[in-house]
Amino acid sequence: MRSWSAPNISPLPGAGLPLRLYDTSARGIRETSPAPEARMYVCGITPYDATHLGHANTYLAFDLVNRVWRDAGHRVHFTQNATDVDDPLLERAEQTGIDWRDLAEREIELFRTDMEALRVLPPDEYVGVTEVVAQVAELIGRLKDKGATYEIGRDVYFSVAAAPKFGAVSGYSEEQMLELFAERGGDPAREGKRHPLDWLLWRAERPGEPSWPSDFGPGRPGWHVECTAIALSCLGSGFDVSGGGSDLIFPHHEMGASEGHVATGEWPFAKAYVHAGMVALDGEKMSKSRGNLVFVSRLRAEHDPMAIRLALLAHHYRADWEWTAGQIGSASERLARWRSAAGLPAGPDALPVLQQVRERMADDLDTPGALAAVDAWAARAAGGEGTDPGAPALVRAIADTLLGVAL
Ligand code: 5CA
Ligand code: ZN
């Protein structure tokens, strides 16, 4: 499908540093060492409601990965899906009387507008699952050929017993896995399963539900296998970063990694699994199912999108944090201070700021540290320090290129 428009990026002098990121599967910070072309897959939205600040926070984190890699001289091959057919989407469509296709299209379009406003670099491939059902079915066929699947009625399941690396991504105990699987769309108690953690690959057609033809009969893809199929076809296995929010660690990324492994015989499926923290509102994770949401589109009606971006960047991407109304006010004030300083005819030398921002960002995307470096420069410039006429333009370029904030 159509992606969204790319913002301009100003070039920076010199080259950025190698990016270190916390890799969930390594349980520590590791240097990413991509080939000249870095490959990243970021799980996209299930488009049954508008983009909320939690989504935006997650997509900004991976936008920073993209920007830091580019600054370090890499080309970036970036793929994202949209889960445009799935139970929650079909349920919402049913409740609201809107055709599920129209609902998905409308929310995907709003998501594009939100991403554009927040200056998130677009993926090279933005893939709706409904566009690639045949490819997903083909991957399920490969898993079947490896003896990793079985059927309950006409539904096809992946057998966890066929996955030797299962557990390597999350490191969770079986007890934790069972709890999370039940919470996050799994069906541990279904009758006929060989193991409670076996997961659905293909859901056979049910009356009134959309379906596509396949070798296993008409139906639609299960959740995890869609991302595995899209990542494999666009990026191949062994890509650099698989990304999403921390609620995707298990089951989604765990199960996807095993599918990729069993289908290709190659491990790891992704070299690093990177997860953003959860944004909460009123003490609970912001989620479409709970309905405790702050929509990016609504916030945009009243605030500069660059202030929204700065409000999110003020938190480290891996932190879990709670949105409060005051944060947009502080971010707007910061934006005003930066704009005012970056509009001065001169300021203190900004090359040290470039070095500091590069160092902070390469260190597991330390955005609070990066913002502090720009704050310090802006305060000095506002105090009349420095006579470098090129400094304000360089600070604008740093904010733009590395932080995605247009001043
Ligand atoms: N379509 C699937 C991924 S294939 C999905 O999880 N969609 S989603 O719309 O529920 O979430 C989209 C992304 O936003 C995921 O990476 C998810 O981890 C992240 N996300 C959802 N809620 C929050 C939240 N409250 N805070 C931070 N990130 C969130
Ligand atoms: Zn996904």
Side-chain angles (χ1 to χ4, degrees):
M1 347 184 257
R2 197 166 54 76
S3 190
W4 56 90
S5 319
N8 283 328
I9 294 196
S10 331
L12 291 171
L17 303 166
L19 174 62
R20 279 169 288 130
L21 286 174
Y22 185 91
D23 172 5
T24 302
S25 61
R27 328 244 192 268
I29 294 178
R30 298 283 180 277
E31 186 170 310
T32 59
S33 42
E37 181 176 273
R39 293 174 290 160
M40 172 164 73
Y41 185 90
V42 178
C43 284
I45 54 164
T46 306
Y48 67 90
D49 213 337
T51 324
H52 61 64
L53 281 177
H55 300 136
N57 191 60
T58 289
Y59 296 115
L60 278 196
F62 295 96
D63 185 54
L64 299 172
V65 171
N66 195 339
R67 288 169 181 275
V68 172
W69 271 343
R70 286 169 186 243
D71 183 49
H74 297 286
R75 290 190 310 280
V76 180
H77 186 168
F78 169 29
T79 303
Q80 183 164 134
N81 71 311
T83 307
D84 60 357
V85 59
D86 200 7
D87 299 345
L89 173 73
L90 298 173
E91 282 159 22
R92 180 65 63 90
E94 176 90 32
Q95 284 161 14
T96 52
I98 304 172
D99 185 89
W100 64 275
R101 281 160 290 221
D102 296 338
L103 177 60
E105 199 176 308
R106 183 181 83 191
E107 299 305 342
I108 288 171
E109 185 51 29
L110 184 59
F111 176 71
R112 290 189 186 104
T113 323
D114 288 333
M115 291 298 103
E116 243 171 57
L118 292 175
R119 302 185 91 245
V120 172
L121 297 168
D124 300 287
E125 295 100 5
Y126 187 36
V127 185
V129 174
T130 56
E131 297 177 301
V132 295
V133 173
Q135 276 175 44
V136 180
E138 195 187 300
L139 177 64
I140 298 171
R142 276 162 75 187
L143 294 170
K144 186 177 178 194
D145 292 344
K146 307 268 180 187
T149 70
Y150 66 95
E151 294 184 17
I152 303 180
R154 309 219 64 183
D155 293 339
V156 183
Y157 275 79
F158 186 98
S159 172
V160 72
K165 299 286 189 185
F166 191 78
V169 172
S170 66
Y172 294 163
S173 68
E174 188 160 320
E175 197 188 342
Q176 279 174 298
M177 288 181 182
L178 283 167
E179 198 182 313
L180 291 170
F181 189 49
E183 262 172 39
R184 298 174 179 165
D187 55 358
R190 178 162 183 193
E191 197 123 340
K193 287 178 75 170
R194 293 181 189 166
H195 190 287
L197 289 173
D198 292 344
W199 64 91
L200 186 71
L201 293 169
W202 185 259
R203 179 175 157 91
E205 183 176 30
R206 306 287 199 275
E209 286 189 7
S211 71
W212 288 259
S214 81
D215 292 348
F216 347 96
R220 60 182 162 96
W223 174 27
H224 318 300
V225 72
E226 71 185 53
C227 286
T228 311
I230 296 169
L232 275 178
S233 79
C234 294
L235 301 171
S237 74
F239 57 95
D240 297 285
V241 163
S242 170
S246 60
D247 58 345
L248 297 188
I249 297 173
F250 194 91
H252 189 52
H253 288 167
E254 188 73 77
M255 294 180 171
S258 278
E259 290 164 349
H261 179 216
V262 172
T264 63
E266 292 165 25
W267 185 264
F269 177 58
K271 289 187 187 135
Y273 286 84
V274 179
H275 295 104
M278 287 292 115
V279 180
L281 182 71
D282 305 328
E284 295 226 57
K285 174 195 156 187
M286 224 180 254
S287 76
K288 288 179 284 214
S289 46
R290 284 200 188 89
N292 56 336
L293 307 171
V294 177
F295 293 125
V296 172
S297 40
R298 244 177 248 160
L299 216 49
R300 278 206 282 125
E302 286 174 35
H303 301 279
D304 189 319
M306 292 300 98
I308 304 174
R309 188 158 175 131
L310 275 178
L312 299 174
L313 295 181
H315 301 270
H316 189 265
Y317 80 98
R318 279 198 287 121
D320 295 324
W321 54 277
E322 179 153 346
W323 174 259
T324 48
Q327 294 178 44
I328 191 71
S330 322
S332 301
E333 284 164 21
R334 175 178 258 147
L335 182 63
R337 286 197 305 273
W338 285 18
R339 282 202 170 134
S340 153
L344 292 170
D349 180 12
L351 276 173
V353 183
L354 175 59
Q355 182 61 22
Q356 286 158 10
V357 171
R358 277 182 167 148
E359 278 171 13
R360 291 300 81 234
M361 295 301 283
D363 181 10
D364 197 27
L365 306 175
D366 173 15
T367 52
L371 299 196
V374 179
D375 282 343
W377 179 89
R380 291 176 60 205
E385 268 185 60
T387 54
D388 181 350
L394 180 54
V395 168
R396 283 198 300 276
I398 295 167
D400 175 23
T401 305
L402 291 171
L403 303 173
V405 177
L407 294 181

